[in-house]
Amino acid sequence: MKIGIGQFAPIWGNKLRNLEQIRQLLLPHPGVQLWILPELGTTGYQFTSRQQVLQLAEAFPGGQSAEILLQISRETQSAIVIGVIESLAQKIYNSAAVFDNGAYRGAYRKIHLFFEEKRWFHAGEQTPPIYEIDGIRVGIMICFDWIFPEIARSLALRGTQVLAHPANLVLPYCQDAMITRSLENRIFSATANRIGSESINPAAPLTFTGKSQITDPTGKRLGQLTPDREDVLIVDIDPSEALEKSITPLNDLFEDRKPDLYRND
Amino acid sequence: MKIGIGQFAPIWGNKLRNLEQIRQLLLPHPGVQLWILPELGTTGYQFTSRQQVLQLAEAFPGGQSAEILLQISRETQSAIVIGVIESLAQKIYNSAAVFDNGAYRGAYRKIHLFFEEKRWFHAGEQTPPIYEIDGIRVGIMICFDWIFPEIARSLALRGTQVLAHPANLVLPYCQDAMITRSLENRIFSATANRIGSESINPAAPLTFTGKSQITDPTGKRLGQLTPDREDVLIVDIDPSEALEKSITPLNDLFEDRKPDLYRND
């Protein structure tokens, strides 16, 4: 399976321009079956009023961004996981939507909101879903979700082989920690982070850390992009490697778990 | 609080010599309140028969090793966490025993056994305990336990401030992963790994990776020893830092968890 991550700097608030940039980023690379793109990749990240967020929110499917993304997924004959602002039943979510070769598959709504995201978004209320794409089980988490080991674990125990991870990282820890997430769950992970800076008056400027990466179930980094250049990384993986949870002839990482002993109180 | 880790190469099967080596390692460093020493630090690691393991096993407290360790903890006026072979109710465990200034405090019995350890040891049947030492809550995990995020999480959610981690590591992943364990749980971790090699005929030789380290709740490595030299690392920490789970004014890592959404089936 060929998977690709794209990192770029969305222009704040300019969805049509960002969607065109995404098309230009992906089109030169036919044959990628699954693309992962950054969190809030169509809109930009930083907000200073609820009104800004409402104006950028859309229905998925149904809105204009969804239509264009469906079209891009058809043109590229790929599945695309990308962060969007989703409006659903009077609530606004920081979501990652899945477009699969012209078909809308659904969205994961971020359950662990970072810092001021709590002012703008509702937290997702559902267990993160898993999508079957070309016969491979793809789980999604968004950015800050990484720091909670439970979500990658939950996705892996439910069969995730490839963890799609759209991100807008401003702290330096995640890329290394995703090696641990891959290793402890024996899954592939694909972190698509954005680059560039945003400074929406009067908020303090944010700089995003790039270094988007793909890791394999042994914790190996299969590739990593730079901190600040628009680029894609495409790797050919064998997703069946993520089905093998043995790390010695006597240790299966999932069978060896002792859930009865992991009391939290 | 002053905590110390010691790394050395136990002589296989020579408990009295190893205990004397431990005394020599610790005595020059008065004022350390908590020492963490390697897994199976009194006996060596590699076995080729159950008989070998039985011969090295002892009761804790009650056996000779426990008596000597109680004495060392009294001489050093410290608490000592060290890996031992524990015999208890007809079962043999890979345990980490706690000696606190002349008093025996108890033992954690390793719940995730690595590879051939499953041939020699019973897996611990109890939720890992937490010990209060000088008013600080100390949780213990042993070596391979690191790869299961649930155990460090369980210890942290139950109040652990310092994670004592005796180890006999032969794989290269753990030291970096412990940065993630510290960060995701906002706790200190102290991994005391052994050095040297063992080759007990007819088993394949094992080389241990040293690089014992102490990390802080922000994921910073406060110090790390070499891959192959006997040494101690002593750091002065403020354990109250591990009580603070906020990483932004709007994010408390423990309150932000969504246990209802972490389904595993």
Side-chain angles (χ1 to χ4, degrees):
Chain A
M1 183 187 217
K2 233 173 168 180
I3 65 176
I5 52 179
Q7 76 175 19
F8 61 100
I11 303 294
W12 190 89
N14 196 336
K15 290 189 282 184
L16 290 180
R17 185 267 185 198
N18 294 331
L19 288 162
E20 183 53 29
Q21 187 176 10
I22 289 164
R23 172 186 272 116
Q24 299 303 332
L25 197 63
L26 272 40
L27 272 182
H29 308 284
V32 174
Q33 289 154 271
L34 171 63
W35 280 107
I36 297 104
L37 297 171
E39 179 184 19
L40 299 177
T42 59
T43 60
Y45 180 83
Q46 192 175 47
F47 305 104
T48 57
S49 76
R50 175 97 175 149
Q51 192 53 32
Q52 291 168 343
V53 183
L54 281 169
Q55 276 170 359
L56 291 168
E58 287 181 68
F60 288 84
Q64 187 182 30
S65 294
E67 285 311 309
I68 297 172
L69 284 161
L70 282 170
Q71 195 185 317
I72 297 173
S73 74
R74 208 180 296 114
E75 288 173 54
T76 55
Q77 298 182 52
S78 68
I80 299 173
V81 178
I82 180 171
V84 298
I85 303 181
E86 182 184 18
S87 169
L88 180 74
Q90 319 296 331
K91 294 181 182 173
I92 308 289
Y93 298 94
N94 179 340
S95 297
V98 185
F99 308 86
D100 186 0
N101 203 354
Y104 185 72
R105 298 291 300 277
Y108 159 64
R109 298 176 190 97
K110 188 174 185 179
I111 64 176
H112 304 104
L113 296 172
F114 181 71
F115 200 28
E116 297 205 319
E117 289 167 37
K118 292 190 178 187
R119 298 178 59 193
W120 320 126
F121 301 110
H122 282 86
E125 300 98 344
Q126 288 170 2
T127 295
I130 293 172
Y131 299 94
E132 200 165 302
I133 292 172
D134 287 355
I136 306 307
R137 290 172 73 82
V138 177
I140 304 172
M141 61 185 200
I142 300 177
C143 204
F144 186 57
D145 283 331
W146 74 266
I147 208 169
F148 301 86
E150 293 91 346
I151 174 169
R153 188 59 136 191
S154 162
L155 287 165
L157 288 171
R158 290 182 288 126
T160 290
Q161 294 163 270
V162 177
L163 180 54
H165 184 213
N168 271 194
L169 295 161
V170 293
L171 299 175
Y173 312 112
C174 170
Q175 288 90 339
D176 287 345
M178 289 306 292
I179 289 182
T180 304
R181 296 282 172 263
S182 261
L183 196 53
E184 69 199 7
N185 292 302
R186 311 301 282 183
I187 56 174
F188 293 90
S189 81
T191 298
N193 190 21
R194 64 161 287 182
I195 55 172
S197 294
E198 275 183 7
S199 183
I200 309 304
N201 190 35
L206 292 177
T207 298
F208 303 92
T209 61
K211 297 168 77 173
S212 299
Q213 66 177 22
I214 299 175
T215 63
D216 82 1
T218 70
K220 193 172 149 196
R221 217 172 236 139
L222 299 177
Q224 185 171 42
L225 299 178
T226 65
D228 51 12
R229 225 173 41 237
E230 176 176 317
D231 205 350
V232 299
L233 170 69
I234 297 166
V235 298
D236 216 331
I237 63 167
D238 176 359
S240 72
E241 289 172 14
L243 302 174
E244 177 55 76
K245 306 299 182 187
S246 294
I247 69 163
T248 79
L250 297 178
N251 290 103
D252 177 294
L253 280 193
F254 283 8
E255 288 173 14
D256 281 354
R257 294 172 67 246
K258 302 284 175 76
D260 293 347
L261 304 184
Y262 304 142
R263 277 182 40 231
N264 288 340
D265 54 336
Chain B
M1 182 187 216
K2 234 173 168 177
I3 65 174
I5 52 179
Q7 76 174 21
F8 63 99
I11 303 296
W12 190 90
N14 196 336
K15 291 189 283 185
L16 289 181
R17 185 271 187 194
N18 294 331
L19 288 162
E20 183 53 29
Q21 188 175 9
I22 289 165
R23 172 187 273 116
Q24 299 303 330
L25 198 61
L26 306 195
L27 272 182
H29 307 284
V32 174
Q33 289 153 274
L34 171 63
W35 280 106
I36 297 106
L37 297 170
E39 179 185 20
L40 299 177
T42 59
T43 61
Y45 179 83
Q46 193 175 46
F47 306 105
T48 58
S49 76
R50 174 95 175 149
Q51 191 53 32
Q52 290 168 345
V53 182
L54 281 169
Q55 276 170 357
L56 292 168
E58 289 180 68
F60 287 84
Q64 187 182 30
S65 294
E67 284 310 308
I68 296 171
L69 284 161
L70 282 171
Q71 195 184 319
I72 297 173
S73 74
R74 210 179 295 114
E75 288 173 55
T76 55
Q77 297 183 51
S78 69
I80 299 173
V81 177
I82 180 171
V84 298
I85 304 182
E86 181 184 19
S87 171
L88 179 73
Q90 317 298 330
K91 294 182 181 171
I92 308 289
Y93 297 94
N94 179 341
S95 297
V98 185
F99 307 86
D100 186 359
N101 203 353
Y104 185 71
R105 297 292 299 277
Y108 160 64
R109 297 175 192 99
K110 190 175 184 179
I111 64 176
H112 304 105
L113 297 172
F114 181 70
F115 200 27
E116 297 205 318
E117 290 167 36
K118 291 191 179 187
R119 297 177 61 192
W120 320 125
F121 301 111
H122 282 86
E125 300 99 343
Q126 290 172 0
T127 295
I130 294 172
Y131 299 93
E132 199 165 303
I133 292 171
D134 287 355
I136 305 306
R137 290 172 73 82
V138 177
I140 304 173
M141 63 184 198
I142 300 177
C143 204
F144 186 57
D145 283 329
W146 73 265
I147 208 168
F148 300 86
E150 293 91 345
I151 173 168
R153 188 60 135 190
S154 161
L155 287 165
L157 287 171
R158 290 182 288 126
T160 289
Q161 294 163 271
V162 178
L163 180 53
H165 183 214
N168 272 195
L169 296 161
V170 294
L171 300 175
Y173 312 111
C174 170
Q175 288 90 341
D176 286 346
M178 289 305 293
I179 289 181
T180 304
R181 295 283 172 264
S182 261
L183 197 52
E184 68 199 7
N185 292 302
R186 311 303 280 182
I187 56 175
F188 293 89
S189 82
T191 298
N193 190 20
R194 63 161 286 182
I195 54 171
S197 295
E198 277 183 5
S199 182
I200 309 304
N201 190 36
L206 292 177
T207 298
F208 303 92
T209 60
K211 295 166 79 173
S212 299
Q213 67 179 19
I214 298 174
T215 63
D216 83 1
T218 70
K220 192 171 149 199
R221 215 173 238 139
L222 299 178
Q224 185 172 43
L225 299 178
T226 66
D228 51 12
R229 224 172 45 237
E230 176 176 316
D231 206 351
V232 299
L233 170 69
I234 298 165
V235 299
D236 216 330
I237 63 168
D238 176 359
S240 73
E241 290 172 13
L243 302 175
E244 178 54 76
K245 306 300 182 185
S246 295
I247 69 165
T248 79
L250 297 178
N251 290 104
D252 176 296
L253 281 194
F254 282 8
E255 286 171 15
D256 281 353
R257 294 172 66 246
K258 301 283 175 78
D260 294 346
L261 304 184
Y262 306 141
R263 277 182 40 232
N264 289 340
D265 53 339

